[in-house]
Amino acid sequence: MKEAIFESIEEIRAEILELSKNIHENPELAFDEYKSAGFIKALLQKHGFSIEDKSGGMDTAFKARFKGNGPGVTVAFLAEYDALPGMGHACGHNLIAAASTGAAIGLSKLMKDIPGEIVLMGTPGEEGKGGKIILLDKGEFDDIDYSLMTHPSTVNLINRGGLATTAVTISYTGKAAHSAAPESGINALQAVIQTFNLLDSIRARMPLKTNINGIILKGGEATNIIPGYAECAFSVRAATFGDLKKVVDMIKDTVKAVELFTGATAAVETDLVYSERYSNLAIDEVFKKYMELQGEVVEYPDPNAKIGSSDIGNVSLKMPAIHAYIKIAEKGVVAHNKSFAEAAITDRAQEAGIKAAKALAATAYEILTDENLRKEIKDEFDRTVPVYADMSL
């Protein structure tokens, strides 16, 4: 069956590579990925998938379905296709979309002999907009049992986690006054500055692996006017959602102290929560096997390495999921950088996308057909993934 799956994907190689190229040449920002979503849907429709448009109420989200020969589980391949402002596909989402789409089409050619269903999920807005979180909240993952995807990198890697993260915006309203009579005003900018100072002073109390970075968004209009309004924003990361909530609560307490100290009135807003990620090792090992059969070396993560965040983390709380990494360039080429955008369309990267498509499709086949593997996957999921009753901050 491996040979049949690999051959099926080889037969559509040119279409997969063209899809990657088209998405890369037409970078679109979160929730505006009309061309990219269109490229993917057109190819899937050509190969017999039924399309459900505007998943979760988002114009550029969709689900493409292909049913097997009878009842069974449903495996989703997740496609991302949003770009970064001013940098194009500097995270290589063209390859994510191409690999997942190629895997779905390749496996679909054999579904007449396989029970269950495969789904290609178009998940827009990963870069800061939490498209998968919205899809989860809208119930779009309720009929999915397993979710698989890959991500470009400078190393082939499985079972890497991710940090929980959110954004916190704080605005302070004081009272404007002329700088000749500062005592008649309430300095909102001073409140922002004290927020930074106090957060720096309590970093030692924060949970391990916490990371806070902030900027001042608004700090006044003129040097001779005491600012009556100021605003700042912070990116907050932590090892788990539980830790993230503790840190956000500490920020809110800090703001209360600043209000008492300065007399300014604050408003605090939190963004969507990207949870930590639990990549299912039982599935990852199958993916690793099929990448290594294609001559790749696949590594395990360094527990001390710095890691980022992605909305696939929220999916991994709901069901077994993987977010494997595929090597498209040598170390030193950094994601979220123009050099990575250039690397994401090289022949080397395109070939990595083809190999990832084959490994994803073969992994999905094993999940669809091997009950013992499904039990192993479920046992790991039940043992390692926490249940959060409430994900609000």
Side-chain angles (χ1 to χ4, degrees):
M1 185 56 73
K2 173 188 76 71
E3 286 76 13
I5 292 170
F6 283 19
E7 181 180 342
S8 176
I9 291 173
E10 277 299 322
E11 289 173 356
I12 58 168
R13 167 185 281 268
E15 292 172 291
I16 299 171
L17 298 183
E18 184 70 13
L19 175 63
S20 173
K21 180 173 177 287
N22 284 339
I23 294 173
H24 190 275
E25 290 179 350
N26 294 273
E28 299 164 298
L29 301 184
F31 299 149
D32 286 324
E33 315 98 321
Y34 292 96
K35 288 182 180 179
S36 297
F39 294 142
I40 301 168
K41 288 187 289 184
L43 184 56
L44 289 162
Q45 284 178 312
K46 174 185 174 182
H47 287 276
F49 281 73
S50 60
I51 307 292
E52 298 173 7
D53 253 328
K54 298 186 178 182
S55 299
M58 293 178 286
D59 285 350
T60 54
F62 63 92
K63 291 165 86 171
R65 298 182 178 276
F66 201 103
K67 292 185 179 296
N69 71 350
V73 299
T74 300
V75 179
F77 302 102
L78 307 188
E80 297 173 5
Y81 33 86
D82 58 325
L84 287 159
M87 288 189 285
H89 279 288
C91 219
H93 288 190
N94 59 302
L95 293 168
I96 297 175
S100 285
T101 303
I105 294 172
L107 188 56
S108 74
K109 305 304 179 182
L110 307 171
M111 287 301 289
K112 65 181 183 300
D113 300 317
I114 303 172
E117 183 179 24
I118 54 175
V119 175
L120 189 288
M121 289 193 69
T123 65
E126 186 276 333
E127 296 289 354
K129 300 296 184 180
K132 296 181 192 65
I133 301 171
I134 297 170
L135 291 169
L136 282 163
D137 290 344
K138 297 294 185 179
E140 295 290 350
F141 278 93
D142 288 354
D143 61 350
I144 305 297
D145 298 302
Y146 307 87
S147 290
L148 314 180
M149 66 174 289
T150 58
H151 196 293
S153 179
T154 56
V155 63
N156 293 313
L157 198 66
I158 62 166
N159 208 229
R160 183 181 180 184
L163 298 176
T165 187
T166 192
V168 180
T169 302
I170 306 165
S171 60
Y172 286 101
T173 301
K175 181 181 178 183
H178 196 279
S179 60
E183 71 279 2
S184 64
I186 297 175
N187 194 324
L189 176 58
Q190 189 58 241
V192 164
I193 292 170
Q194 291 306 318
T195 300
F196 278 83
N197 291 338
L198 285 176
L199 288 176
D200 279 340
S201 72
I202 63 171
R203 282 181 185 272
R205 293 178 46 221
M206 294 179 182
L208 191 65
K209 295 187 178 181
T210 297
N211 187 355
I212 300 181
N213 298 291
I215 59 172
I216 297 175
L217 299 174
K218 295 180 181 178
E221 302 296 332
T223 58
N224 64 340
I225 299 295
I226 301 300
Y229 180 85
E231 189 175 333
C232 55
F234 295 89
S235 172
V236 185
R237 284 187 169 88
T240 66
F241 168 72
D243 284 350
L244 185 73
K245 183 171 177 58
K246 291 177 184 175
V247 176
V248 171
D249 286 344
M250 293 172 77
I251 293 173
K252 291 177 179 178
D253 288 342
T254 297
V255 170
K256 291 176 184 176
V258 169
E259 285 183 301
L260 290 172
F261 184 63
T262 64
T265 302
V268 179
E269 294 182 4
T270 56
D271 206 345
L272 289 172
V273 173
Y274 283 43
S275 84
E276 71 271 25
R277 181 167 68 239
Y278 298 90
S279 194
N280 188 276
L281 182 58
I283 303 176
D284 268 329
E285 290 288 4
V286 180
F287 178 85
K288 179 177 184 287
K289 173 179 69 176
Y290 286 109
M291 287 295 286
E292 291 182 337
L293 284 171
Q294 299 176 79
E296 295 293 319
V297 175
V298 181
E299 301 176 19
Y300 298 95
D302 176 354
N304 297 315
K306 292 184 180 296
I307 54 177
S309 307
S310 173
D311 56 5
I312 184 68
N314 299 64
V315 177
S316 75
L317 289 179
K318 181 177 177 62
M319 69 191 64
I322 64 167
H323 184 269
Y325 291 85
I326 58 172
K327 183 175 182 176
I328 69 166
E330 295 302 318
K331 292 180 180 179
V333 179
V334 181
H336 288 209
N337 185 289
K338 284 189 176 182
S339 64
F340 202 89
E342 294 167 0
I345 199 58
T346 61
D347 291 345
R348 177 180 185 172
Q350 294 279 64
E351 184 61 30
I354 294 291
K355 289 182 176 181
K358 292 176 180 178
L360 285 172
T363 300
Y365 168 77
E366 289 208 18
I367 294 171
L368 289 164
T369 59
D370 188 339
E371 185 176 354
N372 290 330
L373 175 61
R374 293 197 298 271
K375 182 180 185 304
E376 182 183 351
I377 292 167
K378 183 180 185 302
D379 287 347
E380 179 189 334
F381 180 83
D382 291 343
R383 185 177 67 253
T384 61
V385 179
V387 175
Y388 295 117
D390 181 6
M391 291 285 287
S392 64
L393 293 172

